[in-house]
Amino acid sequence: EDQVTQSPEALRLQEGESSSLNCSYTVSGLRGLFWYRQDPGKGPEFLFTLYSAGEEKEKERLKATLTKKESFLHITAPKPEDSATYLCAVQAGGNNRLAFGKGNQVVVIP
Amino acid sequence: DTEVTQTPKHLVMGMTNKKSLKCEQHMGHRAMYWYKQKAKKPPELMFVYSYEKLSINESVPSRFSPECPNSSLLNLHLHALQPEDSALYLCASSQDRSKPEAFFGQGTRLTVV
C-alpha cells in the first residue's frame, strides 16, 4: 500500500525564517509527487509536480525537490501570507488514485 | 485556465433530504474525482471517473451516488445522509497519465442536521 508521511505536523516560523517541510513516501512505480497548498475551508491549490529523483521546481519563495525516498518543500524568507497547510500527494502504478499525507500546518508570525 | 467550479459552496440538509453537488471543468480533462475532507485531515478519495466511466469506488456507502453526464460535468447525489457525513466535499480533475496532477475546486461545505 502506498504510504506518505509528512513532517513536522505543525511549524511556527518568524517572518523571514527559512525552513523545510518533509514528505517521505513508500510507493511502487511512482508516476508523480505533488505539492498543494490549502487554506482553511478552501480546496487544495496545486503548487508543483515532481516526476523523478533530482528534479527541482520553484515558485516565488517555494522550492520543491525530490529524491528516491522523499521530497522537501523549502520556504525561503516566508511571509505571513505563506501560512497554510501544505499537502504532499503521490500517484503510483496504473490508476488515478492520489495518496495524501496528513499535511504540514505552517504559521508565519509577523 | 485551471479552474474547477463546484456548486453550491455551502449546503445544509436534513437526514431525509435528497440533494446534489455539482462540479464542472472546461480544461478537457478526462479524469474526475470526488474527495471528502474532514477538519484537519487530508482529503479522502471517494470516486474516480475516467473517460466518463466509474473506475474507482472506495467502498463508499450507497447514500452517495456519483454521476458523470459528460466529460465536463460530475455530480454527487446525496440521499438519507447522517450527521457524520458533514464535511468539505471536493471535486478534482486531471488530464491523463502523461499529466497526472489534479486540480481541485473550492469545495462544498456540507452540513447534515
Side-chain angles (χ1 to χ4, degrees):
Chain A
E1 185 179 319
D2 300 338
Q3 290 197 345
V4 182
T5 304
Q6 291 186 246
S7 62
E9 281 188 25
L11 188 62
R12 287 172 66 88
L13 299 170
Q14 288 293 134
E15 185 171 359
E17 179 189 358
S18 300
S19 188
S20 295
L21 312 178
N22 177 266
C23 171
S24 62
Y25 61 92
T26 307
V27 299
S28 177
L30 180 72
R31 285 174 49 204
L33 184 142
F34 313 97
W35 281 100
Y36 291 88
R37 170 198 169 120
Q38 188 172 28
D39 293 306
K42 306 279 189 185
E45 175 191 346
F46 172 76
L47 294 173
F48 303 111
T49 304
L50 299 166
Y51 292 103
S52 56
E55 194 173 356
E56 298 183 353
K57 295 271 178 75
E58 279 190 75
K59 179 180 179 180
E60 296 180 357
R61 295 177 292 283
L62 300 176
K63 179 179 177 180
T65 62
L66 182 66
T67 72
K68 287 186 179 178
K69 294 183 181 179
E70 58 192 349
S71 175
F72 291 94
L73 185 66
H74 308 279
I75 311 178
T76 301
K79 298 183 177 182
E81 53 262 43
D82 295 321
S83 298
T85 296
Y86 292 87
L87 293 166
C88 173
V90 297
Q91 194 171 67
N95 60 46
N96 297 96
R97 187 181 277 108
L98 276 181
F100 278 91
K102 292 184 178 180
N104 307 102
Q105 186 178 14
V106 175
V107 174
V108 182
I109 304 160
Chain B
D1 180 13
T2 56
E3 189 170 335
V4 176
T5 304
Q6 289 187 243
T7 55
K9 288 188 169 48
H10 302 276
L11 179 63
V12 180
M13 62 184 290
M15 289 188 282
T16 58
N17 291 159
K18 285 185 181 181
K19 296 286 184 183
S20 297
L21 309 184
K22 296 185 183 302
C23 174
E24 190 168 5
Q25 57 89 12
H26 294 289
M27 296 178 278
H29 289 178
R30 301 316 298 266
M32 296 187 76
Y33 313 75
W34 281 114
Y35 284 84
K36 172 182 176 179
Q37 187 176 29
K38 292 281 215 179
K40 299 190 182 299
K41 299 286 187 184
E44 297 175 24
L45 183 65
M46 300 175 70
F47 302 104
V48 180
Y49 274 82
S50 180
Y51 289 84
E52 297 151 59
K53 287 186 169 33
L54 184 64
S55 61
I56 297 176
N57 176 341
E58 294 285 44
S59 302
V60 178
S62 60
R63 57 186 185 268
F64 296 92
S65 174
E67 177 195 21
C68 188
N70 60 54
S71 60
S72 300
L73 294 174
L74 186 67
N75 298 322
L76 186 63
H77 302 297
L78 314 172
H79 173 55
L81 295 192
Q82 304 296 310
E84 58 265 29
D85 296 322
S86 298
L88 183 67
Y89 287 84
L90 295 163
C91 174
S93 68
S94 63
Q95 185 169 326
D96 56 28
R97 287 172 182 239
S98 66
K99 290 184 71 69
E101 56 267 18
F103 295 90
F104 285 81
Q106 289 302 297
T108 294
R109 171 66 62 189
L110 175 68
T111 304
V112 182
V113 297

